[in-house]
Amino acid sequence: MFQYEIKRENEKAFVHLEGSLSLRDSPKLRTDIKSLIDTEEIKELVLDFKNLSYLDSSGVGILLHTYSWTKEKNKEVRIINLSAEVRTIFTVANLLDIFQLKEET
């Protein structure tokens, strides 16, 4: 099961992801992330993967779109608390160099 929660703090938006992100869950998350990036007062998007156990290729696609959208708007995207399982997926997909990764908030 996948779920997420969005919290805003000043110019930052935090998206806390939990469970297993797959194709079924991707469209709503994609729409919500795009809306956050399009919000003028949000300057940085922080994706918290602490409780995310898996993501498939659609999740990787969302991350690549997120990176592209934030760069278009001169904003930042960071990923924090990457689990070992998801780090393996990032390694295979060559995503480790694209995102600023932090272990703790």
Side-chain angles (χ1 to χ4, degrees), residues 10-58:
N10 304 317
E11 295 182 337
K12 289 184 183 182
F14 293 86
V15 182
H16 302 275
L17 305 161
E18 184 175 332
S20 181
L21 173 58
S22 64
L23 181 60
R24 181 187 71 211
D25 310 299
S26 298
K28 180 166 177 18
L29 177 61
R30 183 175 194 248
T31 300
D32 287 349
I33 285 177
K34 179 76 167 106
S35 294
L36 283 171
I37 294 167
D38 288 342
T39 304
E40 212 169 291
E41 60 268 8
I42 299 298
K43 304 293 183 211
E44 183 179 2
L45 181 67
V46 180
L47 304 173
D48 187 345
F49 280 30
K50 183 177 184 178
N51 296 311
L52 187 72
S53 56
Y54 176 79
L55 75 154
D56 67 8
S57 60
S58 66

Side-chain angles (χ1 to χ4, degrees), residues 62-79:
I62 289 173
L63 293 174
L64 293 173
H65 277 101
T66 299
Y67 178 80
S68 175
W69 294 328
T70 54
K71 292 304 168 196
E72 281 176 13
K73 302 265 185 182
N74 293 316
K75 297 183 179 191
E76 296 291 325
V77 60
R78 280 191 308 128
I79 294 174

Side-chain angles (χ1 to χ4, degrees), residues 2-16:
F2 175 75
Q3 58 188 22
Y4 62 96
E5 179 182 16
I6 297 171
K7 293 182 179 177
R8 293 181 185 204
E9 281 183 22
N10 304 317
E11 295 182 337
K12 289 184 183 182
F14 293 86
V15 182
H16 302 275

